[in-house]
Coordinates of all heavy atoms in Angstrom, one line a residue:
L1397 N 0.1 0.2 2.3 CA 0.8 -0.9 1.7 C 2.4 -0.6 1.8 O 3.1 -1.5 2.2 CB 0.5 -1.0 0.2 CG 1.3 -2.1 -0.6 CD1 1.1 -3.4 0.1 CD2 0.8 -2.2 -2.0
K1398 N 2.8 0.7 1.6 CA 4.2 1.0 1.7 C 4.7 0.7 3.2 O 5.7 0.1 3.3 CB 4.4 2.4 1.3 CG 5.9 2.9 1.5 CD 6.0 4.3 1.1 CE 5.5 5.3 2.2 NZ 5.7 6.7 2.0
G1399 N 3.9 1.1 4.1 CA 4.4 1.0 5.6 C 4.4 -0.6 5.9 O 5.4 -0.9 6.6
S1400 N 3.5 -1.3 5.5 CA 3.5 -2.8 5.7 C 4.7 -3.5 5.1 O 5.3 -4.3 5.6 CB 2.2 -3.4 5.3 OG 1.1 -2.9 6.2
A1401 N 4.9 -3.1 3.8 CA 6.0 -3.7 3.1 C 7.3 -3.3 3.7 O 8.2 -4.2 3.8 CB 6.0 -3.2 1.6
R1402 N 7.5 -2.1 4.1 CA 8.8 -1.6 4.8 C 9.0 -2.4 6.1 O 10.1 -2.7 6.4 CB 8.8 -0.2 5.0 CG 9.0 0.6 3.8 CD 9.2 2.1 4.1 NE 9.6 2.9 2.9 CZ 9.6 4.2 2.9 NH1 9.2 4.9 3.8 NH2 10.0 4.8 1.8
G1403 N 7.9 -2.6 6.8 CA 8.0 -3.3 8.1 C 8.7 -4.7 7.9 O 9.5 -5.2 8.7
L1404 N 8.3 -5.4 6.8 CA 8.7 -6.8 6.5 C 10.1 -6.7 5.9 O 10.8 -7.7 6.0 CB 7.8 -7.5 5.6 CG 6.4 -7.8 6.1 CD1 5.6 -8.6 5.0 CD2 6.4 -8.7 7.3
G1405 N 10.4 -5.7 5.3 CA 11.6 -5.7 4.4 C 11.4 -6.1 3.0 O 12.3 -6.5 2.3
A1406 N 10.1 -5.9 2.6 CA 9.8 -6.2 1.1 C 10.0 -4.9 0.4 O 9.1 -4.1 0.0 CB 8.2 -6.5 1.1
W1407 N 11.3 -4.6 0.2 CA 11.8 -3.4 -0.4 C 11.2 -3.0 -1.7 O 10.8 -1.9 -2.0 CB 13.3 -3.3 -0.4 CG 13.9 -3.6 0.9 CD1 14.8 -4.5 1.2 CD2 13.6 -2.8 2.2 NE1 15.1 -4.5 2.6 CE2 14.4 -3.4 3.2 CE3 12.9 -1.8 2.5 CZ2 14.4 -3.1 4.5 CZ3 12.8 -1.4 3.9 CH2 13.6 -2.0 4.8
A1408 N 11.2 -3.9 -2.7 CA 10.7 -3.8 -4.1 C 9.1 -3.3 -4.0 O 8.8 -2.4 -4.7 CB 10.9 -5.0 -4.9
L1409 N 8.5 -4.1 -3.2 CA 7.0 -3.8 -3.1 C 6.8 -2.3 -2.5 O 6.0 -1.5 -2.9 CB 6.3 -4.8 -2.2 CG 4.8 -4.5 -1.9 CD1 4.0 -4.4 -3.2 CD2 4.3 -5.7 -1.1
A1410 N 7.7 -2.0 -1.4 CA 7.6 -0.8 -0.7 C 7.8 0.4 -1.8 O 7.2 1.5 -1.8 CB 8.5 -0.7 0.5
T1411 N 8.8 0.2 -2.6 CA 9.2 1.2 -3.7 C 8.1 1.4 -4.5 O 7.7 2.5 -5.0 CB 10.5 0.8 -4.3 OG1 11.5 0.6 -3.4 CG2 10.9 1.7 -5.5
L1412 N 7.4 0.3 -5.0 CA 6.3 0.4 -5.9 C 5.1 1.1 -5.2 O 4.5 2.0 -5.8 CB 5.8 -1.0 -6.3 CG 6.7 -1.7 -7.4 CD1 6.2 -3.1 -7.6 CD2 6.7 -0.9 -8.7
A1413 N 4.9 0.9 -4.0 CA 3.8 1.5 -3.2 C 4.1 3.0 -3.1 O 3.2 3.9 -3.2 CB 3.6 0.9 -1.9
E1414 N 5.4 3.3 -2.9 CA 5.8 4.7 -2.8 C 5.5 5.4 -4.2 O 5.0 6.6 -4.2 CB 7.2 4.9 -2.3 CG 7.7 6.3 -2.1 CD 9.1 6.4 -1.4 OE1 9.8 5.4 -1.6 OE2 9.4 7.5 -0.9
E1415 N 5.9 4.8 -5.2 CA 5.7 5.3 -6.5 C 4.1 5.5 -6.8 O 3.7 6.4 -7.3 CB 6.2 4.4 -7.6 CG 6.2 4.9 -9.0 CD 6.8 3.9 -9.9 OE1 7.8 3.2 -9.6 OE2 6.3 3.9 -11.1
A1416 N 3.4 4.6 -6.2 CA 1.9 4.7 -6.4 C 1.4 5.8 -5.7 O 0.5 6.5 -6.2 CB 1.2 3.4 -6.0
E1417 N 1.9 6.2 -4.5 CA 1.4 7.4 -3.8 C 1.6 8.6 -4.6 O 0.8 9.5 -4.4 CB 2.3 7.6 -2.6 CG 1.9 6.8 -1.4 CD 2.8 7.1 -0.2 OE1 4.0 6.8 -0.1 OE2 2.2 7.7 0.8
K1418 N 2.6 8.6 -5.5 CA 2.8 9.8 -6.3 C 2.2 9.7 -7.6 O 2.3 10.7 -8.5 CB 4.3 10.0 -6.5 CG 5.1 10.1 -5.2 CD 6.6 10.0 -5.4 CE 7.3 10.0 -4.0 NZ 8.8 9.7 -4.2
T1419 N 1.5 8.6 -8.0 CA 0.9 8.4 -9.3 C -0.5 8.9 -9.2 O -1.3 8.5 -8.2 CB 0.9 6.9 -9.7 OG1 2.3 6.6 -9.7 CG2 0.3 6.7 -11.0
A1420 N -1.0 9.6 -10.2 CA -2.4 10.0 -10.3 C -3.4 8.8 -10.3 O -3.0 7.8 -10.9 CB -2.6 11.0 -11.5
L1421 N -4.5 8.9 -9.7 CA -5.4 7.9 -9.7 C -5.8 7.4 -11.1 O -5.9 6.3 -11.4 CB -6.7 8.4 -9.0 CG -7.9 7.4 -8.9 CD1 -7.5 6.2 -8.1 CD2 -9.1 8.1 -8.3
A1422 N -5.9 8.4 -12.0 CA -6.2 8.1 -13.4 C -5.2 7.2 -14.1 O -5.5 6.5 -15.1 CB -6.5 9.3 -14.2
A1423 N -4.0 7.2 -13.6 CA -2.8 6.5 -14.2 C -2.5 5.3 -13.4 O -1.4 4.7 -13.6 CB -1.7 7.4 -14.4
R1424 N -3.4 4.8 -12.7 CA -3.0 3.6 -11.7 C -2.9 2.3 -12.4 O -2.3 1.4 -11.9 CB -4.1 3.5 -10.6 CG -5.4 3.1 -11.0 CD -6.4 3.0 -9.8 NE -7.7 2.8 -10.2 CZ -8.7 2.9 -9.3 NH1 -8.5 3.2 -8.0 NH2 -10.0 2.7 -9.8
S1425 N -3.4 2.0 -13.6 CA -3.4 0.7 -14.1 C -2.0 0.1 -14.3 O -1.8 -1.1 -14.0 CB -4.2 0.7 -15.4 OG -3.5 1.5 -16.4
G1426 N -1.1 0.9 -14.7 CA 0.3 0.4 -15.0 C 1.0 0.0 -13.6 O 1.5 -1.1 -13.5
I1427 N 0.8 0.9 -12.7 CA 1.4 0.6 -11.4 C 0.7 -0.5 -10.7 O 1.3 -1.3 -9.9 CB 1.6 1.8 -10.5 CG1 2.5 1.6 -9.3 CG2 0.2 2.3 -10.0 CD1 4.0 1.7 -9.6
M1428 N -0.6 -0.7 -10.9 CA -1.3 -1.8 -10.2 C -0.8 -3.1 -10.7 O -0.7 -4.0 -9.9 CB -2.8 -1.6 -10.4 CG -3.4 -0.6 -9.6 SD -3.3 -1.1 -7.8 CE -4.3 -2.5 -7.7
A1429 N -0.6 -3.2 -12.0 CA 0.0 -4.5 -12.5 C 1.3 -4.9 -11.8 O 1.5 -6.1 -11.4 CB 0.1 -4.5 -14.0
E1430 N 2.1 -3.9 -11.6 CA 3.5 -4.1 -11.0 C 3.2 -4.5 -9.5 O 4.0 -5.3 -9.0 CB 4.4 -2.9 -11.1 CG 4.8 -2.7 -12.5 CD 5.8 -1.5 -12.6 OE1 6.8 -1.5 -12.1 OE2 5.2 -0.4 -13.2
I1431 N 2.4 -3.7 -8.9 CA 2.1 -4.1 -7.5 C 1.5 -5.5 -7.3 O 1.9 -6.2 -6.4 CB 1.2 -3.0 -6.8 CG1 1.9 -1.7 -6.7 CG2 0.5 -3.4 -5.5 CD1 1.0 -0.5 -6.3
R1432 N 0.6 -5.8 -8.1 CA 0.0 -7.2 -8.1 C 1.1 -8.3 -8.2 O 1.1 -9.2 -7.5 CB -1.0 -7.4 -9.2 CG -2.3 -6.8 -8.9 CD -3.3 -7.0 -10.0 NE -4.4 -6.1 -10.0 CZ -5.4 -6.0 -9.1 NH1 -5.4 -6.8 -8.1 NH2 -6.3 -5.1 -9.3
D1433 N 2.0 -8.1 -9.2 CA 3.1 -9.0 -9.3 C 4.1 -9.0 -8.1 O 4.5 -10.1 -7.7 CB 4.0 -8.7 -10.6 CG 3.2 -8.9 -11.9 OD1 2.2 -9.6 -11.9 OD2 3.6 -8.4 -12.9
A1434 N 4.3 -7.9 -7.6 CA 5.2 -7.8 -6.4 C 4.5 -8.5 -5.1 O 5.2 -9.2 -4.5 CB 5.6 -6.4 -6.1

Side-chain angles (χ1 to χ4, degrees):
L1397 176 58
K1398 178 181 75 175
S1400 292
R1402 282 184 176 171
L1404 290 182
W1407 306 123
L1409 177 56
T1411 298
L1412 287 170
E1414 184 173 20
E1415 185 179 326
E1417 277 185 291
K1418 300 170 188 172
T1419 300
L1421 180 64
R1424 71 178 166 190
S1425 62
I1427 192 78
M1428 278 300 296
E1430 293 181 70
I1431 287 172
R1432 286 183 200 288
D1433 289 346

